[in-house]
Amino acid sequence: GDSHTIVLKADGLIIAWGANDAGQTNVPAYLTNIVAVAAGEKHSLGLKADRSVVSWGTNLYPEATTIPAEATNVAAITAGVFHSLALRYDGTIVAWGDNTLDQTTVPEDATNIVAISAGAAFNLALTANGKVLGWGDNTYDQISIPNEATNNIVAIAAGFWHSIALKADGGVLAWGGENGELADVPPGATNIVAIAAGSYHNLALKADGSVIGWGLNEHDEITIPPGATNVVTISAGFGHRTFVLTSRHKTTYVIGMIDPTVIAVKTFKS
């Protein structure tokens, strides 16, 4: 999230820490059987095993408190700054929250969707045939989808004002952002198996378990620690930057904090 982190445990319970000015880390005691989580600026989402969505925290818009009735049979969730999305098993999308920049106005061609990702006030969606769709804020061309991203894409990630996509051949595409460095994919970004976009930086996980990063490094958000080897999953945040889980040592790294409250757990054993 903006200045908070939420982690899903193997037993379906949630750990949360960081800023709590809007109750975004006050995980409801009744929450169990969670299978996925997502963090917005001051709100959090959870996807339950029964395919329903729950939320907590609050903000300027009702994304944290009002889950639409149609958000059922949900397969995936994602949270923007002031809005949220849910991907249903039928390949359709439900959106709610702030719509100032049309970020919750889902386009008619957003069908047969297999993945979603929310940026600050825009969204990306991936179709089953490997095409990237985008809607909402386009101030920095973050939804000006390049021709290369209209087929053979297997994963997407939305940053604050930029977008990245993982190609089927293990290459990475990037576009948008208020400066060119976010779209400058490094030459070493090959054999990539997962991607993550933070506010002003990107991470990519290679098939050999190593991580590379590019973009802003003001708070060491792309300074990968030496111990981050045999990595199995990556995530990039906003107010705090990087979350990396390694399999061999079962260690979580939280890197590059802006808000010192997020450092409450910097490294812990899973």
Side-chain angles (χ1 to χ4, degrees), residues 43-120:
H43 73 289
S44 304
L45 300 176
L47 176 60
K48 301 193 69 173
D50 65 4
R51 302 178 182 178
S52 64
V53 180
V54 294
S55 65
W56 60 99
T58 186
N59 221 314
L60 301 176
Y61 300 91
E63 75 276 50
T65 57
T66 308
I67 307 297
E70 60 268 32
T72 58
N73 200 28
V74 172
I77 51 175
T78 185
V81 170
F82 297 132
H83 74 286
S84 303
L85 300 181
L87 173 62
R88 303 183 68 198
Y89 273 92
D90 64 2
T92 61
I93 296 171
V94 179
W96 63 98
D98 177 31
N99 197 37
T100 304
L101 296 168
D102 292 329
Q103 60 266 52
T104 63
T105 303
V106 181
E108 292 184 1
D109 60 345
T111 59
N112 206 20
I113 302 300
V114 296
I116 53 175
S117 184

Side-chain angles (χ1 to χ4, degrees), residues 7-9 15 245-247 249-252 267-270:
V7 177
L8 176 63
K9 298 175 62 180
I15 299 173
L245 173 66
T246 65
S247 60
H249 302 298
K250 295 184 178 180
T251 300
T252 300
T267 303
F268 63 88
K269 299 293 183 181
S270 61

Side-chain angles (χ1 to χ4, degrees), residues 130-224:
K131 179 181 179 179
V132 179
L133 305 176
W135 67 98
D137 181 25
N138 198 35
T139 301
Y140 296 103
D141 291 327
Q142 59 265 50
I143 59 170
S144 296
I145 311 299
N147 289 335
E148 285 184 278
T150 58
N151 58 73
N152 294 319
I153 301 300
V154 296
I156 51 174
F160 204 78
W161 287 317
H162 72 284
S163 305
I164 58 176
L166 175 60
K167 299 169 63 178
D169 63 5
V172 178
L173 302 174
W175 63 95
E178 58 183 326
N179 57 60
E181 63 184 9
L182 288 169
D184 276 341
V185 180
T190 58
N191 296 317
I192 302 300
V193 296
I195 54 174
S199 50
Y200 301 105
H201 74 291
N202 300 310
L203 297 177
L205 174 61
K206 304 192 71 169
D208 64 4
S210 63
V211 179
I212 61 174
W214 67 100
L216 183 68
N217 199 36
E218 183 179 358
H219 299 278
D220 291 332
E221 51 266 56
I222 60 171
T223 302
I224 310 301

